[in-house]
Amino acid sequence: QVQLVESGGGLVQAGGSLRLSCAAFGFTFSRYVMGWFRQAPGKEREFVSAIRGTNSTYYVDSVKGRFTISRDNAKSTVYLQMNSLQPEDTAVYYCAATRYSVDYASLREYDYWGQGTQVTVSS
């Protein structure tokens, strides 16, 4: 059974850091593109970052230079290191997986989703 389990969210002050983790179960992790998305209250879910099995990485402009995505195929886990957090980063963060991706930023391309983890950044 496929499962994605996020952890690491929490409350942090502006300028602080958090590291999100997403553990994957039930599929061949190394063959999948892994993505992070977020959804703020009253807003649509949006792309944050993605990483291919080749370790090519992609970021939305608003997090470039602050967030770093990485993966450990041996542990079937993807990470999102978030530094210099700002109140506008407050959202529920979701991990997602897709076997084939042309547009890694498109929600519709992802087959599996986690339950989300809350990140709250206070000013």
Side-chain angles (χ1 to χ4, degrees):
Q1 181 178 356
V2 173
Q3 195 174 10
L4 298 174
V5 180
E6 300 103 331
S7 61
L11 173 64
V12 65
Q13 289 187 333
S17 298
L18 284 174
R19 188 195 195 201
L20 305 184
S21 299
C22 172
F25 305 91
F27 61 95
T28 307
F29 179 80
S30 60
R31 297 180 180 178
Y32 278 67
V33 176
M34 300 301 297
W36 285 98
F37 291 78
R38 65 186 179 186
Q39 187 166 18
K43 295 188 177 181
E44 294 185 351
R45 194 172 299 189
E46 66 172 0
F47 170 76
V48 176
S49 182
I51 184 168
R52 296 190 179 274
T54 56
N55 283 324
S56 296
T57 58
Y58 310 91
Y59 300 92
V60 68
D61 285 348
S62 60
V63 308
K64 285 181 180 177
R66 300 189 298 123
F67 291 11
T68 303
I69 191 171
S70 61
R71 65 191 297 161
D72 185 335
N73 289 337
K75 295 183 178 180
S76 296
T77 300
V78 61
Y79 305 97
L80 187 67
Q81 177 67 44
M82 305 186 295
N83 299 329
S84 302
L85 283 161
Q86 300 301 316
E88 52 265 35
D89 295 316
T90 295
V92 177
Y93 283 71
Y94 297 90
C95 170
T98 179
R99 178 68 177 91
Y100 300 105
S101 176
V102 175
D103 181 3
Y104 51 82
S106 172
L107 281 72
R108 292 174 292 182
E109 295 213 351
Y110 288 82
D111 304 309
Y112 308 121
W113 291 85
Q115 80 289 350
T117 185
Q118 177 70 48
V119 171
T120 303
V121 184
S122 63
S123 57

